[in-house]
Amino acid sequence: MDGIISVLGLLTLVLEGISCQGVYAPPTVQIVHSGHACNVEEERYSERVYTIREGETLELTCLVTGHPRPQIRWTKTAGSVSDRFQDSSVFNETLNIAKIHRHQGGRYYCKAENGLGSPAIKSIRVDVYYLDEPLVTVHQSIGEAKEQFYYERTVFLRCIANSNPPIRYSWYRGRDVLSQGSDKGVEIYEPFFTQLQGETKILKLKNLRPKDYANYSCIASVRNVCGLADRRVVFRLTNKTAPASIKLLVEDPIVVNPGQTVSLVCISTGGEPAPSLNWTLSSGSLPQKSLMKDGTLTLPSIASEDAGVYSCVASNNVGNPAKKSTTIIVRALKKGRFWITPDPYHNDDNIQIGREVKISCQVEATPPEELQFSWLKNGRALRSSERMVITQTDPDISPGTTNLDIIDLKFTDFGTYTCVASLRGGGIPEISIDVNISSTTVPPNLTVPRGKSPMAVREGETVELECLVSGKPKPIILWSRVDKEAPMPDGSMQMESYDGVLRIVNVSREMSGYQYNGFNVKPREAVIELIVRYPPAVELVWQEVRQGLGRPVVMNCRVLRAHPSRVLRYEWRLSSRLLHAGTFDSRDDTDYTIRSLAREGYGEYTCDIINEVGPGRCTFLVTGKAYPPEFYYDTYNPLWQNRPRVYGYKLQWTQMNPNAVDRIMAYRLGIRQTGQQRWWEQEIPVEGNIQKGELITHNLTELIRPEAYVVRLTPITRFGEGDSSTRVVTYSEKCKKKWIHSAATRDTKYTPNTGPSGDRSSSKQGFYMYIETSRPRKEGDTARLLSPTFSVAPKNPYSISSPPAYCFSFYYHMYGKHIGTLNAFVKQKGQSTSDAGPVWSLSGNQGDRWRQAKISIHPTASFQVMFEGIRGPGIEGDIAIDDVTLEEGECPDPPSNPIRGVAAHSVSSIWPLSVTLFFTVFIGLR
């Protein structure tokens, strides 16, 4: 594998899709961090991960360049409603979140734009680490639940805790560590994941023995990641251990008057250990004024909004919590209304002597069964008779309504009738409603003023719906939608009006169709039709069309909805020039076709679909610009040049959608030192057609150390220049003395008795990696190489108790009398190098030849592999590596492993995998 390690990256690369023109420059953006980060790492090449402990301060700064100065906006990935990032964007260079919460983790984007080119966007994923106190719960086997845990019973102790990263659990009985196989009466279930509770571990005690009655400790650990210390919880299991049971010393339901003090008493009737008691309200949180002590919940000065179902919950972590509930009903009377209905058997709406008149009265009562009515005439009690009929149970009327029917109206019946509503038992003020019946009494009549229906209004305007009501006494007016299920603009089902006018602000198209209801038993309704007019809504609103010369282009604009929908016409334009116009017949879309695109056909096309309110517009930008090139994320640099103050760089890229436009004939390469204005430019010719995904390479030479450079790459077609991409090439002086990638021509003049003379295949042109031990290196100096992150996909997605196996192999060369140590590590996510420990290690002179190492590894989480070279006591101690691979499955016939005790599991493959590892520098020589 010549050159496997030759492309090891030693520099920081910044990739942005931007373009530059003169002194005006579109934005570039970079995210830097401060505050209390535990770790910042590159994961899966393209994802930066910022790890922070819950409660610390997150501070991210967006560094931008560009002229005019770009506007900066921070946003966060969309999540649940509770996850919204401050419900808006933050327009500020620095994003600061004090005391960050676990739900505030996620991907944060910094976007910079100044109107030139495309906006520059960078992102970073914030991973919030936390570890809650663990909780131990105890359960019996199904079908064995008893009040106590007797002998010959099997119980389960489950330890759960919320955390990020995943938890490692340990169990103790007293001071003794419990592990699988250490006790025949104990089984330990490996961690598994549940959506609500996170990672758990279960301890099973089979057929309880006397020694099983003891103190059990569960220790939850994330291995001190982010400084999160271990958490411990203790549970005492005895032969009296039992689940909680409770009793409520209250009635159900509890009916009270407003202003009273209510006490809900809940007592524990069993449970070991003693259960804790808590109260909850089904409709939400408990009232702020409530007081709770020793299982008693006190609600002082209770109000109607405090009504609901209250539950006492008792838990001692044994079995399921005990729960008992009671309902509090707060007595109330409200909203009294009346209406008058003339003789229903005649078509005359006037009140006349000798005819029938009905007076109706309605109120809302809680509880409704306690509601009672009485009637008065001129202040005196009125009883039901043959001519004065009082009813409360009419099936045709709404609940809480009473009627007074006056049959054969006489002159002596004129007067003031009073409807009195009260609740049995008193304590609530009565509601009384007076209704005058006289020769001047006029029943209500509803009309819509001329020209007020239908009402046509443009979307977004304010409208007043008007309904004239006559009658004496004047009734209350209720407004509702024609669709009884649809709410009014304020969210209620009905709105009251005393002047007959309903005012709606900012009318939307969904508000069409209102109905007026006079609330009469003999229906008196007036309907006002509200018509909301709005211009056509269309798709696509905007689209970029990239196409080469001589090719066809088809653009389509579709109308989704409009009011009025009749007499729709369309107009196609190129800039301001009218191309085509017409009207819609049976179709709801219109096309414009260019059979063969000419140079003058490039530009902005618009399609206006028009009704009497206005136009809806589709816009198409037809261009022959080539898409920007995409710098290959694994571009490695610098190219080693054995000359002082000079380095080179291998520029690699692929072309985005190369076949979308005309053939790319060349690239214009621009390069300038950072901080300078002058660009050096050259053209890179392209022979033939570029294929999608084809990797294109160009070597940059004569770069001056340690300067950084901005590189700009622009594709060129017959149309002209396409979109540009830029990146920053930075030479890091700190990195040059770490692992060095070298061809076999490395100079051994001064150290002839150390290091390899060629790569593993003995090629003089091949490459390998080695550590340089010459001065100024000192004994014990360390260099490390860290691979990208690899994901683990277990065969059973619900358990990783049997992790997949991989064969990690490489060749090493350790020749010289001063050879130090070569270590290989497997570093899992959330794990520090010191916690990981080497999976392979070797020290001292191994002779002048390449040897192969193979190690079977069994990661349970996403992982990286790392090499560590440690300098020995002298300069004849170069250590080299070559041909690093990672394959799925156990290593076949692996060479002897210098590290003893590494278990070799036998696990079937999940997917065929053969990966050549490319490394970036992780830690420099110290």
Coordinates of all heavy atoms in Angstrom, one line a residue, residues 640-687:
W640 N 6.0 17.6 1.7 CA 7.4 17.8 2.3 C 8.3 18.2 1.3 O 8.5 17.6 0.2 CB 7.8 16.5 3.0 CG 9.1 16.8 3.8 CD1 10.4 16.4 3.5 CD2 9.2 17.4 5.1 NE1 11.2 16.8 4.4 CE2 10.5 17.4 5.5 CE3 8.2 17.9 5.9 CZ2 11.0 17.9 6.7 CZ3 8.6 18.5 7.1 CH2 10.0 18.5 7.5
Q641 N 9.0 19.3 1.5 CA 10.1 19.8 0.6 C 11.3 20.1 1.5 O 11.3 20.8 2.5 CB 9.7 21.1 -0.1 CG 8.5 20.9 -1.0 CD 8.2 22.2 -1.8 OE1 8.9 23.2 -1.7 NE2 7.1 22.1 -2.6
N642 N 12.4 19.4 1.1 CA 13.6 19.5 1.9 C 14.4 20.8 1.5 O 15.5 20.8 1.1 CB 14.5 18.2 1.5 CG 15.6 18.1 2.6 OD1 15.5 18.7 3.7 ND2 16.6 17.3 2.2
R643 N 13.7 21.9 1.7 CA 14.3 23.2 1.5 C 13.8 24.1 2.7 O 12.7 24.0 3.1 CB 13.8 23.8 0.2 CG 14.3 23.0 -1.0 CD 13.6 23.5 -2.3 NE 13.8 25.0 -2.5 CZ 13.1 25.7 -3.3 NH1 12.2 25.1 -4.1 NH2 13.3 27.0 -3.4
P644 N 14.7 24.9 3.1 CA 14.3 25.8 4.3 C 13.2 26.8 3.8 O 13.3 27.3 2.7 CB 15.6 26.5 4.6 CG 16.5 26.4 3.4 CD 16.1 25.2 2.7
R645 N 12.3 27.0 4.7 CA 11.2 28.0 4.6 C 10.4 27.8 3.4 O 9.7 28.8 2.9 CB 11.9 29.5 4.5 CG 12.5 29.9 5.9 CD 12.9 31.4 5.8 NE 11.8 32.3 5.3 CZ 10.9 32.7 6.1 NH1 10.8 32.3 7.4 NH2 9.9 33.5 5.7
V646 N 10.3 26.6 2.9 CA 9.4 26.4 1.7 C 8.6 25.1 2.0 O 9.2 24.1 2.5 CB 10.3 26.2 0.4 CG1 9.4 25.8 -0.8 CG2 11.0 27.5 0.1
Y647 N 7.4 25.2 1.6 CA 6.5 24.0 1.7 C 5.6 23.9 0.5 O 5.4 24.9 -0.2 CB 5.8 23.8 3.0 CG 4.6 24.8 3.2 CD1 3.3 24.4 3.0 CD2 4.8 26.1 3.6 CE1 2.2 25.2 3.2 CE2 3.7 27.0 3.8 CZ 2.5 26.5 3.6 OH 1.4 27.4 3.8
G648 N 5.0 22.8 0.2 CA 4.0 22.7 -0.9 C 2.7 22.1 -0.3 O 2.6 21.8 0.9
Y649 N 1.8 22.0 -1.2 CA 0.4 21.6 -0.8 C -0.3 20.9 -2.0 O -0.2 21.4 -3.1 CB -0.4 22.9 -0.4 CG -1.8 22.6 0.1 CD1 -2.0 22.2 1.4 CD2 -2.9 22.7 -0.8 CE1 -3.3 21.9 1.8 CE2 -4.1 22.5 -0.4 CZ -4.4 22.1 0.9 OH -5.6 21.8 1.3
K650 N -0.9 19.8 -1.7 CA -1.6 19.1 -2.7 C -3.1 19.5 -2.6 O -3.8 19.1 -1.7 CB -1.5 17.6 -2.5 CG -2.2 16.7 -3.6 CD -2.0 15.2 -3.3 CE -0.6 14.8 -3.7 NZ -0.5 13.3 -3.6
L651 N -3.5 20.3 -3.6 CA -4.9 20.7 -3.6 C -5.7 19.7 -4.3 O -5.4 19.3 -5.5 CB -5.0 22.1 -4.4 CG -6.2 22.9 -4.2 CD1 -6.3 23.4 -2.8 CD2 -6.1 24.1 -5.2
Q652 N -6.8 19.2 -3.7 CA -7.7 18.2 -4.3 C -9.1 18.7 -4.2 O -9.6 19.2 -3.2 CB -7.5 16.9 -3.5 CG -6.1 16.3 -3.6 CD -6.0 15.0 -2.9 OE1 -6.1 15.0 -1.6 NE2 -5.9 13.9 -3.6
W653 N -9.9 18.4 -5.2 CA -11.3 18.8 -5.2 C -12.1 17.9 -6.2 O -11.5 17.2 -7.1 CB -11.5 20.3 -5.6 CG -11.1 20.6 -7.0 CD1 -12.0 20.7 -8.0 CD2 -9.9 20.9 -7.6 NE1 -11.4 21.1 -9.2 CE2 -10.0 21.2 -8.9 CE3 -8.6 21.0 -7.0 CZ2 -9.0 21.6 -9.8 CZ3 -7.5 21.4 -7.8 CH2 -7.7 21.6 -9.2
T654 N -13.4 17.9 -6.0 CA -14.3 17.4 -7.0 C -15.2 18.5 -7.5 O -15.3 19.5 -6.8 CB -15.2 16.3 -6.4 OG1 -15.9 16.8 -5.2 CG2 -14.3 15.1 -5.9
Q655 N -15.9 18.3 -8.6 CA -16.7 19.3 -9.2 C -18.2 19.0 -8.9 O -18.7 17.9 -9.2 CB -16.5 19.4 -10.7 CG -17.4 20.4 -11.4 CD -17.2 21.8 -10.8 OE1 -16.1 22.3 -10.6 NE2 -18.3 22.5 -10.6
M656 N -18.9 20.0 -8.3 CA -20.3 19.8 -8.0 C -21.1 19.8 -9.4 O -21.0 20.7 -10.1 CB -20.8 20.9 -7.1 CG -22.3 20.8 -6.8 SD -23.0 22.2 -5.9 CE -22.0 22.2 -4.4
N657 N -21.9 18.8 -9.6 CA -22.8 18.6 -10.8 C -22.1 19.1 -12.1 O -22.5 20.1 -12.7 CB -24.0 19.5 -10.6 CG -24.9 19.0 -9.4 OD1 -24.8 17.8 -9.0 ND2 -25.6 19.9 -8.8
P658 N -21.0 18.4 -12.5 CA -20.2 18.9 -13.6 C -21.0 18.8 -14.9 O -20.7 19.5 -15.9 CB -19.0 17.9 -13.7 CG -19.5 16.7 -12.9 CD -20.4 17.2 -11.9
N659 N -22.0 18.0 -15.0 CA -22.8 17.8 -16.3 C -24.0 18.7 -16.4 O -24.8 18.6 -17.3 CB -23.2 16.3 -16.4 CG -22.0 15.4 -16.5 OD1 -21.0 15.7 -17.1 ND2 -22.2 14.2 -15.8
A660 N -24.2 19.6 -15.4 CA -25.4 20.4 -15.4 C -25.3 21.5 -16.4 O -26.3 22.0 -17.0 CB -25.6 21.0 -14.0
V661 N -24.1 22.0 -16.7 CA -23.9 23.1 -17.7 C -22.8 22.6 -18.7 O -22.5 21.5 -18.8 CB -23.4 24.4 -16.9 CG1 -24.5 24.8 -16.0 CG2 -22.1 24.1 -16.1
D662 N -22.4 23.6 -19.5 CA -21.4 23.3 -20.5 C -20.1 22.7 -19.9 O -19.8 22.9 -18.7 CB -21.0 24.5 -21.3 CG -22.2 24.9 -22.2 OD1 -22.8 24.0 -22.8 OD2 -22.4 26.1 -22.4
R663 N -19.3 22.0 -20.7 CA -18.1 21.4 -20.2 C -17.1 22.4 -19.6 O -17.0 23.6 -20.1 CB -17.4 20.7 -21.4 CG -16.1 19.9 -21.0 CD -15.5 19.3 -22.2 NE -14.8 20.3 -23.0 CZ -13.5 20.7 -22.8 NH1 -12.9 20.3 -21.7 NH2 -13.0 21.6 -23.6
I664 N -16.6 22.1 -18.5 CA -15.6 22.9 -17.8 C -14.3 22.8 -18.6 O -13.7 21.7 -18.7 CB -15.4 22.6 -16.3 CG1 -16.7 22.8 -15.6 CG2 -14.3 23.3 -15.7 CD1 -16.7 22.3 -14.2
M665 N -13.8 23.9 -19.1 CA -12.6 23.9 -19.9 C -11.3 24.2 -19.1 O -10.2 23.8 -19.5 CB -12.7 25.0 -21.0 CG -13.9 24.8 -22.0 SD -14.1 26.0 -23.3 CE -14.4 27.5 -22.2
A666 N -11.5 24.9 -18.0 CA -10.3 25.2 -17.2 C -10.8 25.7 -15.8 O -12.0 26.0 -15.6 CB -9.5 26.3 -17.8
Y667 N -9.9 25.8 -14.9 CA -10.1 26.4 -13.6 C -9.2 27.6 -13.4 O -8.0 27.5 -13.8 CB -9.8 25.4 -12.4 CG -10.9 24.4 -12.3 CD1 -10.8 23.2 -12.9 CD2 -12.0 24.7 -11.5 CE1 -11.8 22.2 -12.7 CE2 -13.0 23.7 -11.3 CZ -12.9 22.5 -11.9 OH -13.9 21.5 -11.8
R668 N -9.7 28.7 -12.9 CA -8.8 29.8 -12.6 C -8.5 29.7 -11.1 O -9.3 29.7 -10.2 CB -9.5 31.2 -12.8 CG -8.7 32.4 -12.4 CD -9.2 33.7 -12.9 NE -9.0 33.8 -14.4 CZ -10.0 33.8 -15.3 NH1 -11.2 33.7 -14.9 NH2 -9.7 33.9 -16.6
L669 N -7.1 29.5 -10.9 CA -6.6 29.4 -9.5 C -6.1 30.7 -9.0 O -5.2 31.3 -9.7 CB -5.5 28.3 -9.5 CG -4.8 28.1 -8.2 CD1 -5.7 27.6 -7.1 CD2 -3.5 27.2 -8.4
G670 N -6.6 31.2 -7.9 CA -6.1 32.4 -7.3 C -5.5 32.1 -5.9 O -6.0 31.2 -5.2
I671 N -4.4 32.7 -5.6 CA -3.8 32.4 -4.3 C -3.2 33.7 -3.8 O -2.6 34.5 -4.6 CB -2.7 31.3 -4.4 CG1 -2.1 31.0 -3.0 CG2 -1.6 31.7 -5.4 CD1 -1.3 29.8 -3.0
R672 N -3.4 34.0 -2.5 CA -2.8 35.2 -1.9 C -2.5 34.9 -0.4 O -3.1 34.0 0.2 CB -3.7 36.4 -2.0 CG -5.0 36.2 -1.2 CD -5.8 37.5 -1.2 NE -7.1 37.4 -0.6 CZ -7.4 37.5 0.7 NH1 -6.4 37.7 1.5 NH2 -8.6 37.3 1.2
Q673 N -1.5 35.6 0.1 CA -1.2 35.4 1.5 C -2.3 36.1 2.3 O -2.9 37.1 1.9 CB 0.1 36.1 1.9 CG 1.4 35.4 1.4 CD 2.6 36.0 2.0 OE1 2.6 36.8 2.9 NE2 3.8 35.6 1.5
T674 N -2.7 35.4 3.4 CA -3.7 36.0 4.3 C -3.3 37.4 4.8 O -2.1 37.6 5.1 CB -4.0 35.1 5.5 OG1 -2.8 34.8 6.2 CG2 -4.6 33.8 5.1
G675 N -4.2 38.3 4.8 CA -3.8 39.6 5.2 C -3.4 40.5 4.1 O -3.2 41.7 4.2
Q676 N -3.1 39.9 2.9 CA -2.7 40.7 1.7 C -3.9 40.8 0.8 O -4.8 40.0 0.8 CB -1.5 40.0 1.1 CG -0.3 39.8 2.0 CD 0.3 41.1 2.4 OE1 0.4 42.1 1.6 NE2 0.8 41.2 3.6
Q677 N -3.8 41.8 -0.1 CA -4.9 42.0 -1.1 C -4.5 41.4 -2.5 O -5.4 41.1 -3.2 CB -5.1 43.5 -1.3 CG -5.7 44.2 0.0 CD -7.1 43.6 0.4 OE1 -7.9 43.4 -0.5 NE2 -7.3 43.5 1.6
R678 N -3.2 41.3 -2.8 CA -2.8 40.9 -4.1 C -3.0 39.4 -4.3 O -2.6 38.6 -3.5 CB -1.4 41.3 -4.3 CG -0.9 41.0 -5.7 CD 0.6 41.4 -5.9 NE 1.1 41.0 -7.2 CZ 2.3 41.1 -7.6 NH1 3.2 41.7 -6.8 NH2 2.7 40.8 -8.8
W679 N -3.6 39.1 -5.5 CA -3.9 37.7 -5.9 C -2.9 37.3 -7.0 O -2.7 38.1 -7.9 CB -5.3 37.5 -6.4 CG -6.3 37.5 -5.3 CD1 -7.0 38.6 -4.8 CD2 -6.9 36.4 -4.6 NE1 -7.9 38.3 -3.9 CE2 -7.9 36.9 -3.7 CE3 -6.7 35.0 -4.7 CZ2 -8.6 36.1 -2.9 CZ3 -7.4 34.2 -3.8 CH2 -8.3 34.7 -2.9
W680 N -2.3 36.1 -6.9 CA -1.6 35.6 -8.0 C -2.5 34.5 -8.7 O -3.1 33.7 -8.0 CB -0.3 34.9 -7.6 CG 0.8 35.8 -7.1 CD1 1.7 36.3 -7.9 CD2 1.0 36.3 -5.8 NE1 2.6 37.2 -7.2 CE2 2.1 37.2 -5.9 CE3 0.3 36.2 -4.6 CZ2 2.6 37.9 -4.8 CZ3 0.8 36.9 -3.5 CH2 1.9 37.7 -3.6
E681 N -2.7 34.7 -10.0 CA -3.7 33.8 -10.6 C -3.0 33.0 -11.8 O -2.1 33.5 -12.4 CB -4.8 34.6 -11.2 CG -5.7 35.2 -10.1 CD -7.0 35.8 -10.7 OE1 -7.0 36.1 -11.9 OE2 -8.0 36.0 -9.9
Q682 N -3.5 31.8 -12.0 CA -3.1 31.0 -13.2 C -4.3 30.2 -13.6 O -5.2 30.0 -12.8 CB -1.9 30.2 -12.8 CG -2.2 29.0 -11.9 CD -1.1 28.1 -11.6 OE1 -0.4 28.3 -10.6 NE2 -0.8 27.2 -12.5
E683 N -4.3 29.7 -14.8 CA -5.3 28.8 -15.3 C -4.8 27.4 -15.3 O -3.7 27.1 -15.7 CB -5.8 29.2 -16.7 CG -6.7 30.4 -16.7 CD -7.5 30.5 -18.0 OE1 -7.4 29.6 -18.8 OE2 -8.3 31.5 -18.1
I684 N -5.7 26.5 -14.8 CA -5.4 25.0 -14.9 C -6.3 24.4 -16.0 O -7.5 24.4 -15.8 CB -5.7 24.4 -13.5 CG1 -5.0 25.1 -12.4 CG2 -5.4 22.9 -13.5 CD1 -5.4 24.7 -11.0
P685 N -5.7 24.0 -17.1 CA -6.5 23.5 -18.2 C -7.1 22.1 -17.8 O -6.5 21.4 -17.0 CB -5.5 23.4 -19.4 CG -4.2 23.3 -18.7 CD -4.3 24.1 -17.4
V686 N -8.3 21.8 -18.4 CA -9.0 20.6 -18.2 C -9.2 19.9 -19.5 O -9.7 20.5 -20.4 CB -10.3 20.8 -17.5 CG1 -11.1 19.4 -17.3 CG2 -10.1 21.4 -16.1
E687 N -8.7 18.7 -19.6 CA -8.8 17.9 -20.8 C -10.0 16.9 -20.7 O -10.1 16.2 -19.7 CB -7.6 17.1 -21.1 CG -6.3 17.9 -21.3 CD -6.4 18.8 -22.6 OE1 -7.2 18.4 -23.5 OE2 -5.8 19.9 -22.6

